[in-house]
Amino acid sequence: MLTHSYTDITLAELERVRQQPNTAVVDVRDEWEFDEFNLGGLNIPLPDIRQRKSELLPYDTIIVMCTNGVRSRVAAKDLLRQPEFQLKTIYHLHGGIIEDV
């Protein structure tokens, strides 16, 4: 079985990728973290990603991010397990918004 995968991008690549048509940026941190500091996009905390996946269905490209890349990696893998996301392009912000690599 062919498994669809996500692509890691860096913080420097984020702006270029987010400008692509029909792209959603999803911050999977908790609401209070997003309120404290964010790079824009939708705030869908990781525990809510499956319940709120319908918000992402209209987009062809989805970029997931968090503080250091751990939760967003989980989110990217989880989205790819959903049949509705098999044909979508999923990017993961490697190192997160602090990009501690």
Side-chain angles (χ1 to χ4, degrees):
M1 181 177 155
L2 182 62
T3 304
H4 187 61
S5 184
Y6 62 84
T7 302
D8 283 331
I9 60 171
T10 65
L11 198 52
E13 294 171 302
L14 175 64
E15 280 309 311
R16 177 186 56 80
V17 175
R18 79 186 308 168
Q19 297 305 317
Q20 295 174 3
N22 212 20
T23 297
V25 176
V26 182
D27 190 322
V28 298
R29 297 176 300 150
D30 290 334
E31 190 176 316
W32 70 268
E33 294 172 286
F34 185 82
D35 290 345
E36 191 173 276
F37 173 78
N38 68 74
L39 299 176
L42 300 168
N43 178 220
I44 303 179
L46 180 59
D48 302 335
I49 200 84
R50 283 196 180 197
Q51 293 87 346
R52 294 179 60 188
K53 68 181 178 183
S54 63
E55 295 175 44
L56 303 177
L57 290 176
Y59 299 97
D60 295 326
T61 303
I62 299 165
I63 304 167
V64 290
M65 64 181 170
C66 66
T67 302
N68 59 14
V70 175
R71 287 176 280 182
S72 54
R73 186 179 309 111
V74 171
K77 289 179 180 181
D78 189 56
L79 288 174
L80 290 169
R81 288 186 192 106
Q82 308 300 313
E84 308 95 303
F85 292 91
Q86 288 296 306
L87 298 178
K88 298 191 183 291
T89 303
I90 309 288
Y91 289 100
H92 166 254
L93 183 60
H94 182 76
I97 61 176
I98 61 171
E99 199 169 51
D100 187 21
V101 290

